[in-house]
Amino acid sequence: MEKQHITKNLSIKRNNNKTLLFFLSLSILVIVAFILDIAIGSANITMGSFIKTIFGQITDESTKYIIFETRMPRAVTAIVVGGGLSLSGLLLQTLFHNPLAGPYVLGISSGAGLGVAIYTMTALTFFSIHPVISAAGQAVAAMLGAAMVFMLVLVFSWRLVDTVSLLIIGIMIGALASSVVGILQFFARPEVVHRFVIWTLGSLGSTAWIHLKFIIPVFFLSIVASVFLLKPLDAMLMGEIHARITGVNVNGTRLMMIIISSVLVGTITAFTGPIGFVGMTVPHIVRLISGKVSLKYVLPGVLLIGPSVMLLCDIISQLPGRAETLPINGVTAFLGAPVVIFLIVRSRKLKTNI
Amino acid sequence: MGEPYSDISLLTIKNCTVGYSLKQNKNLEVLANLNLSVQPGELITFIGPNGCGKSTLIKSLVGLIPKLKGELYFKNENLELTSFSERAERIGVVLTEPVYERNMTVKELVSMGRYTHTNWLGSLSKLDRAIVDESITKVGLRVKINSRLAELSDGERQRAMIARVLSQDVDLIILDEPTAHLDLSNRMEVLLLLKSLAHEFGKGILLSTHELGLALQVSDRIWMVNNQQQVISDIPEELIRTGWLDRVFGNEKISFHPWSASFEVSSKTSIKAFVRGIGILQACVVRLLKRMGVKVIYESADQKITIDVYEQDQKIVVDNGSKKEIHTLHELQSYITKLLQEA
């Protein structure tokens, strides 16, 4: 009896150690990717001078500027975007009980895009606005657009049970948003349209520290709010009815998830443009690697793997070594699409087995 | 129809009407004017034909759909005023809905039963862990504690759901069709487990089922939906004696026989047989006759055939005007077939 007890305690300890090791190695991965992302770029800075600059031993102004004002904000943006989009993807998958849900697929990014389009093409066409206010306005517009589409998708999701219909609705709402954007473009001033089109391509490089001062607090607040939702979210994994009968305030949880996801996706998308595939695929990668479904593991995992993946994508986008980088959406899609195909093929297999 | 009322009723249903509200303030009443109760230590099965509103009542009881009229009490508290989390502290529920995340482990699922007891992060205390372990042991899933739900059989999954309710540590447990999709031994195991919970631990248990035979064997009381959309509550034997079971479930093809306490195919032929004798052979002869549509009577009347069964000698003597000795059931079947063709 006692022996059994001891072995049980040992196995719990071993499990704890394994979990700790898992998160530790993921953290190291993020740090390595972060440093690499800063070290690599089009400007020819050697590893030696990079390290010296970091530690303040070189005072060459242009090198300092490149590292601290261009590459560092870009890498920090990658971390926030990767973490934020993956977090919202995880929330959406839990909320919709749909493994293929994500901010991009469900049209929420498009909603944010529509918000930004309406804002830039109306406000900026008719008024001249101070850049800082303009940035904040863009973020708010994106958030509202994201929230609006979110509500719309949610309304439809109550009537639909199957995975595929919901995705088609998401795609259709995305198409609807694009068509409205197209009409707006017709009437807008060419330079505003140009600015908007550049935005839609998605970029990690257009955010400066001044924008990050706004994005980072939103990111951290979302994480804190999500941590407070861990318990009901875990129960939601059983399905909505099961969650209700075990005592979860489902409606409240759902509302919180809508707010967090809209604010997060809206804010991020406002500054970087719509970025696809990260939100949907990262939660699956975490589940596959860890073998766990509980959000107590998956959520921190997502917050570590999301940034790593995004930093990796950014590194890849800079590999050509020119001033212009590869479009970030191209890179995320190139890495993400195979994962999605794999997931669909696997779930089909599961279905026929049952 | 004795409905026990007492101060200690776990669940009291007072003048309730359940159903669905349609547009224009019209209501679709499924079951009306219900007055029912669940006492501690009592296993109640809720039976009725398909589509009679069993699930509707259960969903109303657990608060998933609003009831149309009346009051619901848990002990002496009005359930109307409780939130989902307060309900979950009082009533445990098992529904037929499958669990969405099939990669959850048994332990994770059962731990969810502690939802209302744990802190904001949902971390299990020593006591919580002990209760979860005990619940899993009680339903006999000890060895599958770390298995994923997808790896379990239907019976094991159902037992895992019951373990989740057990870990909720509540006095009243309501289950919708807990024996559906289970084979006979699993069905019996689940029902006996529930019965022991009621009798040994004093819990009140209400379950809906299609299994009339099993319900008659294990229930302390039965709620039965009759043809007038009412619910009759009584002990199983009274329902048999008063003929309610036959009236509700019987039709021109099958009827409920109080002797065997089971449904039998109504005899299609006019042939009646008077069967004498005791023992297994006699029982088999009766079954055979009923299966072939011969009406079996147990007292001498204007029957056409008399059948004497001798258990000792393993022989059957059929008297159909002339006597014939038969030694196997096969022979009897051919004999009856011939007889039916002639008639």
Side-chain angles (χ1 to χ4, degrees):
Chain A
M1 189 68 193
E2 190 139 301
K3 202 177 171 189
Q4 196 185 356
H5 201 72
I6 290 166
T7 46
K8 202 173 142 198
N9 270 347
L10 272 178
S11 82
I12 287 173
K13 220 172 228 170
R14 207 173 298 141
N15 265 337
N16 282 345
N17 283 342
K18 231 171 113 186
T19 314
L20 205 68
L21 197 70
F22 176 66
F23 287 124
L24 204 68
S25 46
L26 287 184
S27 310
I28 293 168
L29 186 67
V30 177
I31 294 166
V32 170
F34 182 68
I35 293 169
L36 268 181
D37 193 29
I38 298 174
I40 293 170
S42 57
N44 205 359
I45 298 171
T46 58
M47 216 50 186
S49 61
F50 166 70
I51 291 166
K52 281 179 189 161
T53 312
I54 292 287
F55 290 106
Q57 287 170 344
I58 285 186
T59 46
D60 172 21
E61 279 309 314
S62 73
T63 310
K64 252 170 88 179
Y65 184 83
I66 288 172
I67 287 175
F68 289 112
E69 298 300 325
T70 313
R71 291 187 185 177
M72 195 93 97
R74 185 189 179 100
V76 172
T77 307
I79 288 179
V80 175
V81 168
L85 291 182
S86 310
L87 174 60
S88 86
L90 178 64
L91 294 180
L92 292 171
Q93 284 166 11
T94 313
L95 176 65
F96 286 104
H97 292 139
N98 190 328
L100 295 182
Y104 198 75
V105 183
L106 290 179
I108 293 166
S109 299
S110 313
L114 179 61
V116 170
I118 292 173
Y119 175 74
T120 49
M121 289 179 205
T122 54
L124 296 189
T125 300
F126 300 117
F127 311 104
S128 69
I129 298 174
H130 188 273
V132 174
I133 302 171
S134 148
Q138 187 158 325
V140 172
M143 269 184 239
L144 290 178
M148 197 185 67
V149 170
F150 202 140
M151 303 285 194
L152 216 57
V153 174
L154 205 66
V155 167
F156 288 119
S157 80
W158 276 322
R159 291 165 172 265
L160 301 168
V161 265
D162 65 314
T163 316
V164 179
S165 315
L166 186 67
L167 300 183
I168 295 172
I169 297 270
I171 292 166
M172 284 304 119
I173 290 176
L176 206 64
S178 318
S179 81
V180 175
V181 170
I183 294 165
L184 280 172
Q185 282 177 344
F186 182 81
F187 294 104
R189 282 208 320 256
E191 60 269 30
V192 174
V193 172
H194 179 73
R195 189 182 144 171
F196 179 75
V197 170
I198 296 287
W199 176 86
T200 55
L201 295 176
S203 160
L204 298 174
S206 49
T207 40
W209 284 118
I210 187 163
H211 303 126
L212 285 169
K213 269 182 199 156
F214 180 70
I215 304 174
I216 291 172
V218 170
F219 179 53
F220 277 106
L221 278 178
S222 306
I223 293 174
V224 171
S226 308
V227 168
F228 275 97
L229 284 182
L230 273 179
K231 185 184 172 188
L233 286 179
D234 256 347
M236 295 272 266
L237 288 178
M238 294 187 290
E240 207 181 292
I241 288 187
H242 288 286
R244 273 186 209 280
I245 58 185
T246 39
V248 181
N249 178 355
V250 171
N251 292 341
T253 308
R254 194 190 262 155
L255 185 70
M256 282 303 294
M257 285 160 94
I258 295 172
I259 294 172
I260 295 173
S261 292
S262 307
V263 169
L264 203 50
V265 175
T267 310
I268 289 171
T269 310
F271 295 105
T272 64
I275 292 177
F277 284 99
V278 182
M280 184 215 289
T281 45
V282 168
H284 289 294
I285 296 172
V286 176
R287 287 188 203 109
L288 278 175
I289 297 176
S290 70
K292 304 258 205 255
V293 289
S294 166
L295 271 83
K296 286 188 194 103
Y297 296 94
V298 180
L299 190 121
V302 154
L303 290 175
L304 292 172
I305 290 192
S308 314
V309 166
M310 209 59 222
L311 286 165
L312 179 72
C313 289
D314 194 40
I315 292 169
I316 293 172
S317 80
Q318 298 185 58
L319 281 184
R322 283 195 243 145
E324 314 88 56
T325 58
L326 296 174
I328 193 72
N329 259 322
V331 180
T332 55
F334 189 79
L335 294 181
V339 177
V340 176
I341 292 171
F342 167 74
L343 288 171
I344 292 175
V345 170
R346 197 181 63 151
S347 71
R348 276 287 137 80
K349 230 186 230 160
L350 271 179
K351 251 176 216 160
T352 46
N353 277 348
I354 287 165
Chain B
M1 283 192 268
E3 188 60 26
Y5 272 108
S6 70
D7 300 337
I8 51 154
S9 292
L10 288 175
L11 181 72
T12 311
I13 304 173
K14 258 190 194 163
N15 303 321
C16 266
T17 298
V18 296
Y20 300 91
S21 23
L22 308 171
K23 280 170 198 165
Q24 290 139 14
N25 292 330
K26 265 194 226 159
N27 288 338
L28 175 71
E29 296 189 354
V30 179
L31 293 168
N33 298 319
L34 305 172
N35 282 296
L36 299 159
S37 75
V38 180
Q39 307 296 325
E42 190 176 46
L43 175 87
I44 297 181
T45 48
F46 184 22
I47 56 174
N50 271 337
C52 68
K54 290 196 298 281
S55 292
T56 310
L57 177 59
I58 289 206
K59 279 185 186 147
S60 304
L61 291 183
V62 303
L64 286 174
I65 54 175
K67 58 186 166 27
L68 299 177
K69 261 185 257 165
E71 281 148 12
L72 286 175
Y73 292 94
F74 175 81
K75 292 179 182 166
N76 288 316
E77 283 172 282
N78 193 335
L79 276 176
E80 191 85 343
L81 310 171
T82 55
S83 64
F84 273 107
S85 75
E86 286 169 318
R87 267 173 204 251
E89 285 168 14
R90 291 158 176 78
I91 306 175
V93 185
V94 176
L95 297 175
T96 45
E97 229 79 18
V99 167
Y100 165 73
E101 181 56 74
R102 291 163 57 85
N103 283 326
M104 245 184 190
T105 64
V106 170
K107 197 172 181 176
E108 280 171 332
L109 179 76
V110 177
S111 305
M112 291 299 170
R114 303 302 297 163
Y115 189 87
T116 52
H117 303 265
T118 52
N119 63 3
W120 66 275
L121 202 55
S123 34
L124 300 174
S125 68
K126 220 170 205 172
L127 175 72
D128 291 325
R129 272 202 209 100
I131 291 174
V132 168
D133 273 6
E134 196 197 327
S135 309
I136 294 173
T137 310
K138 238 183 227 170
V139 299
L141 281 181
R142 183 84 238 165
V143 288
K144 303 266 178 167
I145 191 162
N146 288 319
S147 303
R148 292 159 189 268
L149 296 182
E151 299 158 2
L152 301 182
S153 71
D154 286 341
E156 288 167 338
R157 214 171 296 139
Q158 189 61 267
R159 280 188 279 161
M161 299 302 287
I162 293 173
R164 188 187 80 191
V165 175
L166 291 183
S167 77
Q168 243 172 290
D169 196 18
V170 288
D171 293 335
L172 175 64
I173 301 176
I174 298 178
L175 309 96
D176 191 15
E177 304 268 3
T179 57
H181 313 301
L182 302 186
D183 61 22
L184 188 66
S185 67
N186 270 313
R187 256 180 287 177
M188 214 54 213
E189 215 167 295
V190 165
L191 284 176
L192 290 178
L193 169 69
L194 293 172
K195 191 170 181 163
S196 80
L197 290 175
H199 291 183
E200 287 164 39
F201 301 94
K203 296 190 188 296
I205 295 187
L206 170 66
L207 64 101
S208 71
T209 179
H210 283 113
E211 310 284 337
L212 189 58
L214 287 179
L216 288 171
Q217 283 177 53
V218 298
S219 322
D220 296 311
R221 214 141 51 82
I222 290 182
W223 291 0
M224 189 179 68
V225 183
N226 72 6
N227 321 30
Q228 282 92 47
Q229 294 181 308
Q230 290 161 329
V231 178
I232 300 164
S233 158
D234 217 328
I235 63 169
E237 290 71 25
E238 275 298 312
L239 290 176
I240 297 172
R241 191 183 66 82
T242 49
W244 267 112
L245 285 170
D246 190 35
R247 258 170 278 161
V248 172
F249 290 96
N251 54 29
E252 66 277 3
K253 291 205 184 77
I254 58 162
S255 54
F256 188 83
H257 283 249
W259 295 103
S260 57
S262 65
F263 281 95
E264 283 161 15
V265 179
S266 308
S267 46
K268 288 172 294 226
T269 60
S270 55
I271 299 178
K272 288 183 201 161
F274 171 42
V275 183
R276 280 186 294 211
I278 47 162
I280 295 169
L281 185 60
Q282 187 264 356
C284 290
V285 168
V286 170
R287 285 192 75 88
L288 188 146
L289 292 172
K290 282 180 176 167
R291 172 163 63 81
M292 301 196 68
V294 176
K295 195 171 165 79
V296 178
I297 52 178
Y298 296 92
E299 46 207 67
S300 184
D302 55 341
Q303 77 279 359
K304 202 173 165 197
I305 322 168
T306 306
I307 299 175
D308 285 294
V309 183
Y310 301 95
E311 177 80 13
Q312 208 106 49
D313 313 330
Q314 290 288 306
K315 70 170 184 183
I316 306 159
V317 177
V318 183
D319 185 356
N320 181 20
S322 60
K323 281 195 182 179
K324 184 174 173 20
E325 210 178 284
I326 292 172
H327 292 276
T328 66
L329 290 166
H330 282 114
E331 265 179 76
L332 182 66
Q333 179 162 348
S334 337
Y335 181 82
I336 301 287
T337 310
K338 221 165 67 193
L339 209 70
L340 290 173
Q341 279 162 358
E342 283 164 17

